[in-house]
Amino acid sequence: MTSFSEPVPSEKPVHTLEIRDLFFAAINGLFIGIFSPFIFRNIGKTLPVSIPVFSLALIVICIVGIAVGFFLSKLSPKLRFFFQLAKFGIIGATNFIVDLGIFSLLIWITNISEGASILLFKAASVSVAIVNSYIWNKFWSFEEKHVDESTVQKQFFQFIAVSVIGLILNAGITYSLITFFGGFAGIAPATWATISSAIASVAVLSWNFIGYKFFVFKK
């Protein structure tokens, strides 16, 4: 497989920027481009450009982002984590948009933006994001390629445990913001629901990273 790397005399594995990294970054950019329009629609805004152009721009941004993360990681051993951080950041952005996009789509389809149904919508959107997160983090961000079956099973249940806690926090924060702060500053219910979901997802991001890195995909 074609890769770009600088020879570094070290016993530690040398991180390389492979074609698949650029390809995976592009796929994540495409996912963001696909789900973003639902979010804009739900908050009453329109994309500044056409969907194809918007998606292409995001693909380019993600490719550049992963390349920058790699080259920063080569500047010093202390900055080696930047490559993994770039991967996790792109995946995190994708999960955020997938979560928020599906949540917004469900609100738009049902015309329901408050009440107990919000918990179901959030649970559904976060569940899809969890599956997406597991696949990308396992095989790309944290590069768990060769593990035995027992380790995979243990790791999967650990991932589910971390993710379920994150889901509960996410849904709880979203529901609380909508229920207790609904109508804030005259914002439309559907728009406030989307904003609340976004706030909750950002709030839970740190928990997910810490849990995945130090509990699930620890080496």
Side-chain angles (χ1 to χ4, degrees):
M1 182 176 293
T2 305
S3 62
F4 306 89
S5 63
E6 300 175 5
V8 179
S10 172
E11 296 181 358
K12 295 182 179 180
V14 177
H15 295 289
T16 60
L17 178 63
E18 301 178 351
I19 292 299
R20 71 165 194 151
D21 293 317
L22 303 178
F23 179 66
F24 288 167
I27 293 177
N28 276 270
L30 179 61
F31 281 178
I32 295 174
I34 290 174
F35 286 98
S36 291
F38 298 120
I39 301 172
F40 278 83
R41 182 198 299 269
N42 209 47
I43 61 176
K45 303 293 183 180
T46 57
L47 291 174
V49 293
S50 66
I51 293 178
V53 173
F54 183 72
S55 298
L56 179 60
L58 288 167
I59 289 173
V60 172
I61 289 173
C62 287
I63 290 175
V64 171
I66 199 66
V68 170
F70 169 73
F71 287 112
L72 285 176
S73 74
K74 308 302 289 186
L75 295 177
S76 166
K78 295 182 179 180
L79 301 178
R80 187 181 297 272
F81 72 95
F82 265 96
F83 190 32
Q84 184 183 71
L85 184 63
K87 295 178 182 179
F88 187 83
I90 291 174
I91 295 170
T94 303
N95 289 334
F96 175 77
I97 297 300
V98 168
D99 172 14
L100 201 57
I102 293 176
F103 182 76
S104 299
L105 177 61
L106 291 172
I107 289 178
W108 178 65
I109 291 175
T110 63
N111 199 31
I112 297 174
S113 57
E114 57 187 355
S117 295
I118 288 298
L119 291 174
L120 296 178
F121 294 169
K122 194 60 179 177
S125 64
V126 172
S127 295
V128 175
I130 285 174
V131 174
N132 182 72
S133 178
Y134 179 75
I135 294 173
W136 285 111
N137 279 305
K138 179 177 176 61
F139 296 105
W140 188 36
S141 179
F142 298 107
E143 297 187 89
E144 291 285 330
K145 301 176 182 177
H146 305 291
V147 291
D148 57 64
E149 184 176 349
S150 61
T151 300
V152 170
Q153 292 177 350
K154 177 182 178 181
Q155 192 179 72
F156 179 74
F157 285 115
Q158 289 174 332
F159 183 89
I160 291 298
V162 171
S163 298
V164 166
I165 293 175
L167 188 156
I168 293 173
L169 291 172
N170 206 321
I173 294 172
T174 300
Y175 180 79
S176 297
L177 288 174
I178 292 174
T179 302
F180 300 112
F181 298 94
F184 177 75
I187 299 176
T191 300
W192 179 244
T194 300
I195 293 174
S196 298
S197 178
I199 293 173
S201 295
V202 171
V204 178
L205 184 62
S206 296
W207 160 258
N208 287 339
F209 178 76
I210 293 172
Y212 295 157
K213 182 170 179 63
F214 298 104
F215 181 61
V216 181
F217 299 113
K218 61 182 183 297
K219 295 184 179 179

